[in-house]
Amino acid sequence: MTSVVISGSGLFTPPHKVSNKELVDVLNAYAEKYNSEHQAEIAAGTLAEKKSSSVEFIEKASGIKSRYVMHKEGITDLNVMHPSMVKNDPEQPPEMVLMAVEAAKQAIANSGKHASDIDMIILGSSNMQRSYPSMAVEVQPILGASGFGFDMNVACSTATFAIINAYNAIQTGNANTVLVVNPEFTTPQLDYTNRDSHLSFGDVATALIIEKQETAISANQFKIVNTSQITQFSNNIRCNHSYVDHCYDELAEDNSFFFQEGRKVFKELLPLATNTISSHIADNNWQVTDVKRMWLHQANINMNLFAAKKLLGREPEFLDAPLILDEYANTASAGSVVAFHKYHDDFKSGDKGILCSFGAGYSVGCISLEKL
Ligand code: CO8
């Protein structure tokens, strides 16, 4: 078996920060305006009243305090309520490609390699700003990488499944040095008038260099010890929007990009995630006490604390399963990799950790790592 390592990670954090209060203020102003403009229909029962949001609810129910966004202007403007963007010149790379390139450059620098060493790029995201040509192939010449690239999407588990694809490609000799890059440009997908989801997401990009241990030169190498992945269909988190929408005579009222039954997701996904992680640990012949850290999917603080407590059999400390969602919010598939990027410098040779995503699909991706 070829030993495969993660030899560098990178993180691109967008330039603007949005607080819960900013989102709540604009949504509440919108609800007030809507309700006063539609008083008669609401009273007649033909329209539903728009409900207000609150900072207290968001923090308590999700743990999110802020999020980073590529375009702040518009999101907090009552007359706009989405990121204000100028349509880019189609001859130029779109935002998601630029986000990916920034994260990738950092990961390449941290691995000590050159872009020309990369012979495969997997660009994963829960939605593609440009579906073709493949965005991975757009990233390739900007970096100066060789070989080939492709895009992939398994929603929340795109990053972990992409790492597993990279691992398998190296094992089979299909690639030597893989860039896995996950630009999650989530904010254009949100309905900022919907109090159930206006709080949830932020933009970010992460990147990892994955290569054969024998070619790695980084002082910071994490060997991929084992991988597990599972999918189980659920319609409780889905994208209601599609490229065919313009062909319909009438659009359904709810054609939101992001739809979720949050409470159902919470209840159904947690057992799937904790059982998968437990089996994964057992499969490694590890005890849970062998695991120094779990870099978990970052959707909800209560989910992560519950999962960590169940797996550890005790109250978790911050570094058992570090949280980044307070600052970054849910960043779809990138969340567990952001946690890994920010919280691995204290690992010593032999220390073990688990990177795990869980979310839409449903999908769970688990990767055991050991510091060399
Ligand atoms: N302010 C005030 N009150 C509110 C708000 C709000 N903003 N929203 C809802 N409420 C109300 C509800 O109406 C409800 O009122 P009532 O009891 O009168 O009916 C009450 O508060 C409680 O509502 P919920 O039961 O919905 O509240 P929860 O405690 O369940 O919290 C959460 C809601 C935060 C959504 C929570 O359920 C959750 O986090 N669930 C899990 C979510 C999850 O893991 N999702 C997977 C994420 S998907 C993903 O990661 C990637 C998807 C693909 C990427 C897409 C990119 C855009």
Side-chain angles (χ1 to χ4, degrees):
M1 285 274 277
T2 311
S3 248
V4 177
V5 297
I6 295 176
S7 57
S9 65
L11 171 68
F12 167 73
T13 300
H16 310 289
K17 206 170 186 173
V18 178
S19 69
N20 289 341
K21 182 166 185 320
E22 286 174 289
L23 289 187
V24 167
D25 284 349
V26 70
L27 185 140
N28 289 353
Y30 163 80
E32 201 178 312
K33 183 166 174 263
Y34 180 95
N35 293 338
S36 92
E37 283 172 3
H38 297 91
Q39 268 177 31
E41 298 97 316
I42 292 168
T46 51
L47 279 181
E49 187 185 26
K50 295 281 178 199
K51 293 185 177 161
S52 59
S53 184
S54 83
V55 171
E56 296 70 30
F57 172 86
I58 297 174
E59 266 204 42
K60 186 161 175 287
S62 71
I64 295 166
K65 295 180 182 157
S66 62
R67 68 283 296 140
Y68 292 99
V69 302
M70 290 296 288
H71 301 278
K72 181 166 180 173
E73 203 183 318
I75 293 177
T76 52
D77 180 340
L78 177 61
N79 298 313
V80 184
M81 295 189 80
H82 58 74
S84 271
M85 296 166 57
V86 177
K87 177 138 177 69
N88 71 320
D89 173 358
E91 296 294 331
Q92 299 302 318
E95 275 93 342
M96 273 183 74
V97 168
L98 300 174
M99 291 166 73
V101 165
E102 289 310 309
K105 282 182 182 164
Q106 213 186 94
I108 295 166
N110 285 336
S111 72
K113 306 300 287 261
H114 299 288
S116 54
D117 296 322
I118 295 166
D119 55 1
M120 177 174 176
I121 298 175
I122 309 178
L123 187 148
S125 184
S126 52
N127 242 316
M128 302 298 169
Q129 190 171 0
R130 177 139 78 178
S131 42
Y132 53 89
S134 172
M135 287 194 297
V137 183
E138 292 196 61
V139 167
Q140 190 182 0
I142 300 174
L143 291 175
S146 63
F148 65 98
F150 61 88
D151 295 349
M152 61 170 278
N153 178 5
V154 202
C156 302
S157 290
T158 306
T160 52
F161 279 35
I163 295 167
I164 296 170
N165 277 357
Y167 172 76
N168 291 338
I170 295 169
Q171 288 288 355
T172 56
N174 206 21
N176 292 311
T177 305
V178 184
L179 165 67
V180 167
V181 63
N182 298 94
E184 289 287 5
F185 190 21
T186 66
T187 50
Q189 301 172 54
L190 286 183
D191 176 358
Y192 284 96
T193 70
N194 179 344
R195 76 167 183 164
D196 292 332
S197 55
H198 78 128
L199 57 119
S200 297
F201 288 92
D203 302 327
V204 86
T206 53
L208 297 170
I209 298 298
I210 301 173
E211 59 179 314
K212 288 179 187 163
Q213 186 189 339
E214 67 195 53
T215 63
I217 52 172
S218 157
N220 213 1
Q221 295 176 33
F222 283 79
K223 181 179 168 186
I224 298 180
V225 177
N226 191 13
T227 67
S228 307
Q229 50 201 142
I230 183 168
T231 53
Q232 183 181 295
F233 178 66
S234 164
N235 224 1
N236 288 331
I237 315 169
R238 61 176 193 257
C239 184
N240 284 341
H241 200 75
S242 157
Y243 73 95
V244 302
D245 282 353
H246 71 107
C247 304
Y248 300 132
D249 291 339
E250 270 182 43
L251 274 183
E253 199 175 310
D254 183 4
N255 72 328
S256 50
F257 274 93
F258 177 76
F259 167 89
Q260 79 168 349
E261 297 270 9
R263 181 56 47 184
K264 284 189 192 162
V265 172
F266 196 111
K267 282 200 182 129
E268 293 171 7
L269 194 54
L270 258 179
L272 192 65
T274 50
N275 290 341
T276 307
I277 297 172
S278 290
S279 311
H280 183 87
I281 292 173
D283 197 37
N284 293 348
N285 288 322
W286 291 358
Q287 304 298 316
V288 75
T289 45
D290 294 328
V291 178
K292 181 182 171 96
R293 190 154 303 155
M294 291 181 284
W295 300 282
L296 298 178
H297 187 63
Q298 305 278 324
N300 182 295
I301 191 173
N302 302 315
M303 271 172 118
N304 286 27
L305 293 178
F306 183 97
K309 185 175 175 183
K310 182 150 186 5
L311 290 159
L312 296 171
R314 60 172 169 79
E315 289 295 335
E317 291 176 19
F318 180 80
L319 284 177
D320 289 326
L323 289 160
I324 56 91
L325 59 78
D326 53 344
E327 181 183 353
Y328 282 81
N330 186 341
T331 50
S333 76
S336 57
V337 184
V338 178
F340 171 78
H341 176 83
K342 289 180 99 74
Y343 294 101
H344 71 247
D345 282 349
D346 58 327
F347 267 54
K348 306 208 168 33
S349 179
D351 283 348
K352 299 174 175 62
I354 288 181
L355 183 75
C356 183
S357 65
F358 41 87
Y362 299 132
S363 60
V364 183
C366 250
I367 299 161
S368 305
L369 298 173
E370 180 172 340
K371 176 82 194 279
L372 294 180

